């Protein structure tokens, strides 16, 4: 037996599905508060000094947090090639909009204080708002479209991918609802971060906006579930499933008349995910009102974990369903890389992922403490 056969192909596929979820949750739980702070910037900070306080709460950490997104894209490319091909080509304009918005963030950090002009700085502050709001919205819109099915298909002759959707077709009512949920979730998270890291008026305003965002998360998450149950058809596999078979989606048959809630009837333990989504947001609201700091951020992360896990567990084993040809839908069992590729990647991940997590934890420990007006007005030049 060769080394990679020590772990069954089926188990490796399941492990990499879980790791993909870990990377998405890691990005949302870390860079999510960066996006939230950017979205809140024009509202929680009115003066130049206040905005500098808000910016400097995320300035030292946003680059490290964004690594989760980069690693997630790389892992998708290596572990789930068809998923990468369909999503990055079909959602090309949406991805470009996200990329453009994210580019505004480092440019805004570096250039807003290069001139004393109030108009110059205000323009860059709105650019930072765009850099937070647009990705938050589009990420949610993308999830909403995935739940409804994406208009792509495979050519049976040569397995070429054909995407037949449009950018504006992505902006449907359910997808926009998911987009608003995503914005509310990141605003809640960003406010939780500002309560922990900022001081004075900025933290107080963040507490108020964060409380409203937490309530919005509860309402929008509930509405998303109701529409998912009543108005959005799920997908189901109708043929025998070969969990260790070749990565060819066309070897199965599937239908678009199922329910995304069916998994919860089969595996009742999965209900813990939506429960955590609701309880985390409710606890974050109460913690914000009680002026707790660390607990607020932890509850916000718990809500993010629950909401994203709900999507993954509801769709399992589907990863990217096809609204044009349900048979072309990508699942955990037919869209992965080879057995040996997944094994080698797992070994590499087990070596380097703990190092990355440990280094990140050390960075946050070193940077622990609040940012106040005295910090940003220090003439040492270390603050944005």
């Amino acid at each position: 037996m060769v080394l990679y056969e020590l772990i069954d192909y089926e188990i490796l596929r399941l492990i990499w599905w879980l790791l993909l979820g870990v990377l998405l949750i890691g990005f949302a739980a870390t860079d999510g508060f960066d996006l939230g702070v950017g979205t809140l910037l024009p509202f929680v900070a009115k003066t130049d000094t206040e905005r500098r306080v808000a910016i400097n709460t995320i300035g030292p950490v946003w680059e490290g947090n964004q690594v989760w997104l980069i690693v997630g894209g790389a892992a998708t490319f290596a572990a789930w090639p068809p998923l990468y091909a369909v999503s990055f080509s079909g959602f090309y304009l949406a991805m470009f909009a996200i990329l453009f918005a994210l580019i505004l963030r480092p440019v805004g950090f570096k250039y807003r204080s290069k001139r004393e002009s109030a108009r110059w700085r205000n323009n860059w502050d709105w650019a930072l708002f765009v850099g937070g709001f647009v990705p938050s919205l589009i990420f949610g819109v993308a999830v909403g479209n995935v739940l409804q099915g994406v208009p792509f298909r495979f050519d049976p002759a040569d397995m070429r991918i054909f995407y037949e959707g449009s950018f504006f077709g992505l902006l449907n009512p359910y997808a926009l609802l998911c987009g608003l949920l995503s914005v509310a979730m990141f605003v809640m998270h960003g406010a939780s971060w500002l309560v922990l890291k900022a001081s004075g008026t900025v933290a107080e305003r963040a507490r108020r906006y964060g409380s409203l965002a937490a309530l919005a998360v509860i309402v929008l998450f509930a509405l998303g579930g109701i529409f998912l149950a009543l108005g959005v058809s799920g997908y189901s596999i109708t043929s025998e499933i070969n969990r260790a078979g070749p990565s060819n989606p066309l070897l199965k048959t599937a239908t678009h008349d199922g329910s995304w809630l069916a998994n919860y009837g089969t595996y009742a333990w999965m209900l813990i995910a939506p429960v955590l989504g609701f309880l985390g947001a409710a606890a974050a609201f109460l913690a914000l009102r009680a002026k707790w700091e660390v607990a607020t951020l932890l509850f916000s992360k718990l809500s993010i974990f629950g909401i994203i896990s709900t999507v993954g567990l509801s769709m399992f084993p589907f990863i990217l369903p096809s609204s044009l040809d349900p048979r072309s839908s990508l699942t955990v069992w037919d869209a992965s890389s080879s057995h040996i590729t997944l094994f080698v990647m797992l070994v590499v991940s087990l070596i380097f992922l703990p190092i990355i997590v440990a280094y990140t934890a050390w960075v946050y420990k070193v940077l622990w403490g609040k940012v106040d007006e005295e910090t940003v007005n220090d003439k040492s030049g270390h603050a944005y």
Side-chain angles (χ1 to χ4, degrees), residues 91-112:
F91 295 157
Y92 179 79
L93 290 178
M95 296 286 186
F96 184 83
I98 291 173
L99 180 62
F100 175 78
L102 290 176
I103 288 174
L104 289 176
R105 183 164 55 180
V107 177
F109 287 157
K110 298 296 183 182
Y111 281 90
R112 77 170 300 279

Side-chain angles (χ1 to χ4, degrees), residues 221 263-264 267-280 302-311 313:
F221 191 35
N263 280 345
Y264 298 104
Y267 308 102
W269 62 266
M270 289 185 177
L271 287 169
I272 192 172
V275 169
L276 290 178
F278 284 114
L279 288 182
L302 184 65
S303 180
I304 289 172
F305 172 83
I307 291 172
I308 296 178
S309 297
T310 296
V311 175
L313 292 173

Side-chain angles (χ1 to χ4, degrees), residues 123-145:
N123 288 338
W124 281 115
D125 290 337
W126 280 105
L128 291 172
F129 165 79
V130 171
F133 176 80
V134 170
S136 301
L137 179 67
I138 295 180
F139 284 135
V141 168
V143 171
N145 279 280

Side-chain angles (χ1 to χ4, degrees), residues 39 61 63 114 118 123 130 136 140 175 177 201 219 245 249 255 263 273 284-285 293 317 331:
T39 305
V61 297
E63 289 177 291
K114 295 296 185 181
N123 288 338
V130 171
S136 301
L177 173 64
T201 307
V219 173
T255 62
N263 280 345
F285 171 79
E293 296 181 351
T331 74

Side-chain angles (χ1 to χ4, degrees), residues 91 142-152 163 170 172 232-233 235 256 260 315 320-324 329:
F91 295 157
V143 171
N145 279 280
V146 169
L147 286 167
Q148 296 174 94
V150 179
F152 74 94
Y163 180 84
L170 300 175
N172 55 76
V232 179
S233 298
Y235 290 73
H256 187 195
W260 285 137
M315 293 179 58
L320 191 66
S322 168
S323 59
L324 287 182
S329 300

